[in-house]
């Protein structure tokens, strides 16, 4: 008989945990039906017969704070009992730790399955109890639920043992052979049914490959016929997925704009790689790029001994289905990118940007969509656990809210690393694999988790989206893995490393094998979480926390013994070769034999059509507020402007000890920082500067200027803390709605034109600012289509900037430092309210989109850097969402001082009125505060570009005088701050 | 004489690098050793004078913070059949060694019964979920108990440090234990308000610790556990207000490590 253990905090300590959940639920329950109390219990289901109660008490109960009950209930005082465990095969981190604890105590390996129980008090019917269980407490995709009325469990609760049963047919897993000599229609059905996400032309390319007599001859030698094996077609589908091969970015596009046609062969090569090449050539010896676009992450120089490694990924589709697991695997997944770059980097920071629909959304939810509030909270928690537990500080981030993210949220997770420039005498940023090197898989085991993640994310979210693509990460297994591999790296025990992400071994080995030109994987060798996986599933599984390495034969014994000592499982699963073939065997029999060239180069190039038509957008008159005070308070409380402290505080932003500029700054440590700085080498004052820019609202007008503004926002944030504009680089991260013309997407040519225009802007502006893209990512199918409902995200691009400040002591923050300081605005204010937060607050878009003038902006940024280096600027804050007045208010309340601002002193385009000057979002503008003693030096540096528009004051009033010299705004800064903080003050 | 410090890593410890940096800055020659190297007998705790249990998420906090680690200390034997880790540590204490446990390290010390350590090995206090029921990163003001025998806080009155935890609420098994800790001046550091008085008010007291207790030592003052992170304040630029104040370049957190090294130099 299995056993069941209930553990709960002692009654006088139990309140906090239950109270938090209770309040979250009661907020949405109608009055009078509230829950009275919730008690949370930890449940351990023990899959063993003979077990000593003492072991269980020792392992699971802290007698100072907890009570324990074995095979009996801890409490009978409740109206509903809800228990939530994991479905079979889902990663159960608590269960694993419980097994570890019992093994230490007893010496026996005992399987434990964890669950959480919620004892609910309150007069609810079963329907309500179920709604609470499924709607708040758990996720039916990955968890299993048991909901009981006390009467139903008077005889006790049976243990829940979600063991994966060995389901495979007699004789063990088999390999299916599939004939491709079928009609076009059948080819497409095959693609759809197997979630291959391949189009007809791609299916036909595979069909042609298998008709080639030479190919057939080679296959015969390995007892393979003209049919393709499931292992082969799945490997091809992963390798050729949009996710892995970026088909749209490499497509041949015929682009039409105002009657002119242009042929673009690969947006990526033309614009992204093209601009980076141009910048590098121009910068000559000042070029900081070390490795761009070739590895899992981009690499730039930090100083002569160290390089920086940076990557940002998205994990949108999994986060839509299971926000917690999706975001957790998002962050621990992107950790493995810098970690799998070159010889591997030590991870030094995380940065996250999320795009959600409003958490206060109160309309009917389309099918399969979780409430945005749940997505918000799940993603927040997933990133909290992934980042905090891994010991990587989350130093910077942002959240964008827009109803168009209801169908798919965007979850951008980024990680930076630091790598010695050379390791055991070799350049650390390059990879080498020699024929004969062993293929080693280190870290977690393989299960059915995450199968088809790469192809699943290459489709829109639809009714049959596979739930197997959802999984839960295990940061501690990954931490053990990174501890071990950094040591192995420094001892020179491997030659190359890469991560297992999308596509699993199929991608990781397939890509590394390009370096030796071939490989042979023995699919029966990787350790499995449970039996019954088919060979193709082993090859494709995206089970987390695994790295693939090339280990020279002579070093394998040392490698494996260090691995074992440090508690990490490593297994030799084959060898790299120079045969030119991707070869897989299972129990000695060949199950895949594909030419490397076909696997990687056989994908036909997409041919697409793009047509830009300037939308007929009506310009609007800027609405006049009745009361400017009230208007400002409303603007400060808007989701896209308000404080995100609730999220930020729950992320560890200073582990590793090098925090310099934190995400929250100012007198009361709650002002919004522009960018982050950390010192990765504690002995040195050199700082890494990280910022981001994202403005999807502008896409409604023109993605060209949207892209320019996003880059500019990232750069001006970077500049505001003192980053060096001669030492910066960026990552581009595109999230688009499907731009391929089809029945589902009749407006494909327009969406693709939006993408082309974004790329043109990327090229124009990164070149103008001398800020090269070093790596990037695209996620092109961010649509939701179920039934008649289609929800597409607005075209969104995130720029993440990384760079340097030579002496971190010179960094500055955005809060006003003293009373009597002079406030300057840098740059001219134009009537650019199109897509602004102000018009959005009136449900309007407008036409006058903000446009970046790169030449003057770049000059300004370099001068700001110079002035900060000389210590002349007390604070600097960029002007973005909500315009000048929002930035000024933030500077005032973060510093704890009042401000006086006179709008007539702001250099503005002719004809602008007070409201427009206050709320225009003209880019590249920055507010600075300067001590009066530095006035002359500042004015000399900036000349006419800096205009003094007011002063800070000892009193706490925020006052703005209008053009007509009438006081428009007069509010206490504490009231401003309260409005700014209360929206998300959960 | 040379003071040798040891920082143990592995299984989810995260703050080993900055802790080692602080030890070195204070003048100790310092090694970061993975726990597996102690368990296999290649490295010995007894070769050191100053043992650091640094912050992190040992075993993911999965059964409660440091719960699995306390079991590991009690049951895992060196080289499989030698003494347990706990026996090795008790030996180290009896030979005059110093132990600093920060955050997850403090949780380890109380769950292994090394703090308050009377009798040694018995768990009488614990650290549990914050009253806010959430993880928080924020700086706190600590008032130091000048009457405490703690060697790490000698000469300190007040210190500002960050807390970064979800389970930081200090509790005792009985009122009697609390009284014993307070009256014996084993409560070394208190969460305090702007005036420097211990407080139960959130967020100055970020977790609801009873008696506003943020740090505890044993009767010898040589074993010290602290929830906030001294190794996170080694340079002025770590302080959240450094761009507003003129602070000494040497971070206040280093004082804790300085005291440890001074003490060890003094008695040998």
């Amino acid at each position: 008989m299995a056993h069941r253990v209930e553990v709960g905090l002692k009654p006088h300590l139990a309140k906090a945990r239950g109270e938090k959940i209770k309040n979250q639920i009661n907020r949405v329950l109608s009055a009078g039906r509230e829950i009275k109390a919730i008690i949370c219990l930890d449940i351990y289901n023990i899959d063993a017969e003979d077990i000593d109660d003492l072991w269980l008490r020792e392992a699971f109960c802290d007698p100072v704070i907890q009570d324990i009950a074995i095979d009996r209930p801890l409490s009978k005082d409740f109206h509903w009992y809800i228990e939530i465990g994991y479905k079979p095969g889902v990663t159960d981190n608590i269960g694993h730790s419980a097994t570890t604890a019992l093994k230490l105590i007893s010496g026996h390996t005992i399987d434990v399955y964890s669950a959480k129980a919620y004892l609910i008090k309150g007069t609810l019917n079963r329907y309500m109890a179920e709604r609470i269980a499924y709607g708040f407490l758990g996720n039916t995709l990955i968890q299993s639920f048991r909901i009981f009325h006390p009467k139903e469990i008077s005889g006790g609760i049976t243990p829940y043992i979600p063991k994966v049963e060995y389901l495979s047919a007699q004789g063990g897993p088999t390999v299916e052979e599939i004939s491709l000599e079928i009609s076009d229609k059948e080819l497409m059905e095959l693609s759809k049914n197997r979630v291959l996400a391949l189009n007809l032309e791609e299916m036909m390319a595979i069909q042609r490959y298998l008709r080639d007599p030479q190919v057939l001859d080679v296959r015969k030698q390995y007892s393979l016929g003209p049919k393709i094996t499931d292992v082969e077609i799945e490997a091809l589908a992963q390798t050729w997925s949009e996710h892995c091969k970026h088909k749209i970015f490499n497509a041949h596009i015929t682009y039409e704009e105002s009657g002119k046609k242009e042929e673009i062969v690969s947006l990526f090569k033309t614009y992204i790689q093209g601009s980076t090449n141009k910048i590098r050539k121009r910068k000559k010896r000042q070029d900081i790029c070390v490795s761009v676009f070739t590895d899992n992450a981009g690499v730039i120089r930090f100083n002569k001994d160290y390089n920086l490694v940076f990557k940002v990924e998205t994990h949108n589709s999994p986060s839509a289905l299971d926000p917690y697991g999706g975001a957790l695997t998002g962050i621990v997944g992107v950790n493995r990118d810098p970690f799998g770059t070159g010889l591997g980097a030590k991870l030094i920071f995380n940065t996250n940007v999320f795009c959600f629909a409003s958490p206060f959304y109160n309309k009917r939810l389309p099918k399969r969509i979780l409430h945005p509030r749940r997505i918000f909270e799940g993603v927040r928690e997933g990133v909290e656990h992934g980042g905090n537990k891994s010991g990587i500080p989350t130093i910077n981030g942002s959240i964008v809210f827009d109803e168009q993210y209801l169908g798919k949220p965007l979850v951008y997770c980024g990680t930076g690393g630091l790598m010695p420039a050379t390791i055991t005498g070799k350049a650390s940023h390059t990879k080498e694999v020699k024929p004969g090197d062993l293929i080693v898989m280190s870290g977690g085991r393989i299960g059915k988790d995450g199968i088809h993640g790469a192809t699943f994310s290459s489709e829109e979210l639809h009714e049959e989206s596979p739930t197997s693509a959802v999984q839960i990460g295990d940061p501690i297994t990954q931490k053990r893995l990174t501890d071990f591999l950094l040591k192995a790296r420094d001892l020179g025990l491997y030659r190359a490393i890469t991560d297992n992400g999308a596509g699993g071994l199929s991608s990781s080995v397939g890509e590394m094998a390009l370096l030796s030109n071939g490989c042979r994987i023995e699919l029966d060798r990787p350790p499995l979480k449970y039996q019954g996986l088919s060979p193709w599933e082993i090859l494709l599984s995206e089970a987390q926390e695994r790295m693939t390495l090339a280990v020279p034969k002579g070093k394998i014994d040392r490698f494996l013994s260090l691995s074992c000592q440090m508690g990490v499982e490593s297994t030799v699963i084959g060898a790299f070769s120079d045969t030119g073939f991707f070869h897989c065997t299972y129990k000695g029999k060949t199950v895949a034999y594909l030419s490397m060239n076909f696997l990687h180069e056989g994908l036909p190039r997409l041919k697409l059509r793009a047509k830009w038509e300037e939308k007929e957008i009506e310009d609007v008159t800027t609405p006049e507020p009745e009361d400017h005070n009230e208007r400002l308070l409303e603007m400060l409380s808007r989701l896209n402007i308000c404080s995100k402290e609730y999220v930020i505080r729950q992320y560890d932003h200073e582990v590793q000890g090098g925090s310099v500029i934190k995400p929250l700054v100012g007198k009361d440590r709650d002002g919004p920082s522009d960018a982050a700085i950390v010192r990765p080498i504690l002995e040195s004052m050199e700082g890494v500067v990280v910022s981001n820019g994202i403005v999807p609202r502008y896409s409604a007008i023109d993605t060209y200027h949207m892209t320019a503004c996003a880059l500019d926002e990232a750069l001006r944030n970077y500049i505001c803390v003192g980053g060096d504009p001669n030492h910066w680089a960026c990552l581009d991260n595109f999230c688009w709605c499907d731009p391929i013309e089809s029945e589902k997407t009749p407006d494909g040519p327009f969406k693709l034109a939006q993408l082309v225009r974004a790329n043109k802007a990327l090229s124009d502006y990164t070149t103008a600012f001398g800020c090269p893209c070093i790596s990037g990512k695209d996620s092109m199918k961010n649509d939701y289509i179920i039934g008649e409902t289609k929800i597409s995200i607005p075209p969104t691009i995130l720029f993440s900037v990384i760079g340097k400040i030579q002496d971190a002591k010179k960094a500055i923050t955005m809060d006003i430092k003293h009373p009597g300081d002079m406030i300057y605005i840098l740059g001219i204010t134009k009537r650019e309210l199109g897509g602004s937060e102000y018009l959005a607050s009136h449900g309007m878009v407008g036409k006058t989109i903000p446009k970046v003038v790169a030449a003057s902006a770049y000059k300004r940024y370099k001068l700001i850097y110079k002035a900060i280096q000389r210590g002349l600027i007390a604070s600097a804050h960029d002007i973005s969402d909500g315009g000048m007045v929002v930035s000024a208010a933030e500077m005032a309340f973060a510093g704890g001082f009042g401000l006086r601002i006179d709008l007539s002193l702001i250099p503005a385009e002719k004809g602008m009125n007070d409201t427009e000057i206050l709320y225009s979002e003209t880019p590249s503008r920055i507010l600075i505060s300067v001590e009066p003693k530095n006035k002359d030096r500042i004015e000399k540096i900036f000349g006419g570009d800096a205009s003094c528009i007011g002063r800070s004051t000892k009193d706490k009033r925020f006052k703005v005088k209008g053009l007509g010299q009438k006081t428009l705004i007069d509010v206490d800064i504490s009231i401003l701050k309260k409005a700014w903080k209360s929206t998300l003050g959960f | 004489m040379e003071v040798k410090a040891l920082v143990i890593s592995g299984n989810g410890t995260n703050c080993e690098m900055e802790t080692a940096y602080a030890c070195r800055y204070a003048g100790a020659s310092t090694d970061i050793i993975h726990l597996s190297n102690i368990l296999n007998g290649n490295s010995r705790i007894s070769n050191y004078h100053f043992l650091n249990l640094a912050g992190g998420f040992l075993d993911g906090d999965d059964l409660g913070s440091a719960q699995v680690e306390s079991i590991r200390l009690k049951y895992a034997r060196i080289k499989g059949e030698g003494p347990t880790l706990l026996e090795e540590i008790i030996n180290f204490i009896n030979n005059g060694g110093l132990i600093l446990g920060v955050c997850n390290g403090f949780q380890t010390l109380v769950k292994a019964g090394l703090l308050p350590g009377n009798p040694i090995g018995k768990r009488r206090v614990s650290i549990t979920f914050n009253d806010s029921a959430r993880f928080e990163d924020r700086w706190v003001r600590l008032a130091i108990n000048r009457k405490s025998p703690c060697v790490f806080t000698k000469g300190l009155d007040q210190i500002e440090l960050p807390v970064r935890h979800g389970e930081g609420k200090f509790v005792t098994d009985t009122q009697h234990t609390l009284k014993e800790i307070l009256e014996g001046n084993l409560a070394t550091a208190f969460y305090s308000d702007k005036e420097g008085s211990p407080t139960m008010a959130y967020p100055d007291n970020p977790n609801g610790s009873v008696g506003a207790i943020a740090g505890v030592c044993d009767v010898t003052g040589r074993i010290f556990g602290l929830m906030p992170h001294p190794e996170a304040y080694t340079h002025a630029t770590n302080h959240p207000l450094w761009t507003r104040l003129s602070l000494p370049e040497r971070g206040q957190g280093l004082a804790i490590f300085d005291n440890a090294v001074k003490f060890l130099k003094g008695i040998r």
Side-chain angles (χ1 to χ4, degrees), chain A residues 292-422:
Chain A
V292 292
F293 306 121
T294 51
D295 211 327
N296 290 314
V299 185
I300 62 165
R301 198 177 66 234
F302 183 54
N303 59 27
K304 68 182 194 350
D305 299 320
Y306 286 94
N307 291 330
L308 291 172
V309 187
F310 192 21
K311 180 73 170 187
V312 177
E313 282 262 16
T314 51
H315 226 218
N316 311 331
S317 305
S319 301
L321 296 177
D322 180 39
Y324 174 78
L328 174 54
T329 44
I331 192 72
V332 295
V334 77
N335 287 168
R336 293 193 302 273
D337 279 322
F339 192 73
T341 294
L343 288 174
K346 177 182 179 299
L347 308 177
I348 58 168
F349 68 83
N350 286 336
T351 164
N352 308 286
V353 174
F354 311 137
C355 302
F356 301 135
S358 164
F360 308 111
Y361 182 84
N362 57 6
K363 286 172 270 182
R364 210 184 150 74
L365 282 172
K367 207 171 161 184
R368 272 199 101 168
I369 286 181
L370 299 175
H371 192 277
R373 173 72 188 260
R374 253 190 104 180
I375 293 193
F376 180 167
E377 192 50 30
V379 167
R380 188 208 59 67
E381 193 180 14
V383 168
E384 175 197 326
H385 288 175
N388 293 359
K389 292 188 181 186
S390 304
I392 303 162
T394 298
I395 60 172
N396 163 276
S398 150
I399 311 178
V400 176
F401 293 96
D402 190 311
E403 208 140 292
Q404 295 171 87
Y405 296 111
L406 185 67
K408 255 197 198 182
L410 302 184
V411 177
Y412 291 101
C413 297
T415 301
L418 182 77
M419 189 157 72
T422 57

Side-chain angles (χ1 to χ4, degrees), chain A residues 506-550:
Chain A
S506 151
S507 290
S508 68
V509 182
E511 278 168 29
M512 274 172 106
L514 282 169
L515 300 174
S516 68
N517 195 29
C519 63
R520 180 185 159 130
I521 313 174
E522 297 171 44
L523 289 174
D524 45 301
R525 295 183 74 160
L528 306 179
K529 293 182 183 176
Y530 36 82
Q531 291 306 305
L533 264 69
S534 303
W536 74 266
E537 292 176 312
I538 295 170
L539 187 65
L540 255 66
S541 165
E542 296 180 10
Q544 295 286 303
E545 295 87 35
R546 295 178 298 143
M547 301 298 287
T548 297
L549 299 107

Side-chain angles (χ1 to χ4, degrees), chain A residues 484-513:
Chain A
F484 155 58
L485 288 175
L486 284 177
K487 191 159 254 181
R489 177 194 80 176
D490 294 340
L491 292 169
L493 296 184
Y494 58 79
R495 217 185 316 259
I497 180 168
T498 200
D499 85 305
N500 280 286
L505 289 172
S506 151
S507 290
S508 68
V509 182
E511 278 168 29
M512 274 172 106

Side-chain angles (χ1 to χ4, degrees), chain A residues 773-850:
Chain A
C773 292
I774 53 168
S775 184
K777 190 80 196 173
D778 53 275
S779 165
M780 304 304 292
K781 308 276 168 148
N782 292 291
D783 308 85
Y784 160 99
I785 306 176
I786 291 182
E788 295 295 298
T789 312
K790 176 169 180 178
I791 307 172
S792 297
I793 66 155
T796 306
I797 179 164
L798 168 69
F799 280 101
S800 310
V801 169
I802 186 167
K804 184 178 174 180
I805 180 167
Q806 182 63 33
D807 180 358
K809 290 197 295 290
K810 297 205 163 133
I812 61 170
T813 49
M814 51 72 71
D815 46 308
I816 299 284
K817 304 295 185 299
H818 339 84
D821 279 2
M822 307 173 73
I823 312 300
Y824 287 84
I825 189 167
L826 307 177
I828 293 170
T829 301
K830 296 179 187 161
R831 191 177 170 278
E832 292 180 323
L833 286 104
S836 68
E837 195 59 33
Y838 183 77
L839 288 188
S841 75
H842 288 89
M844 296 172 171
V845 176
K847 190 177 182 180
T848 51
I849 190 167

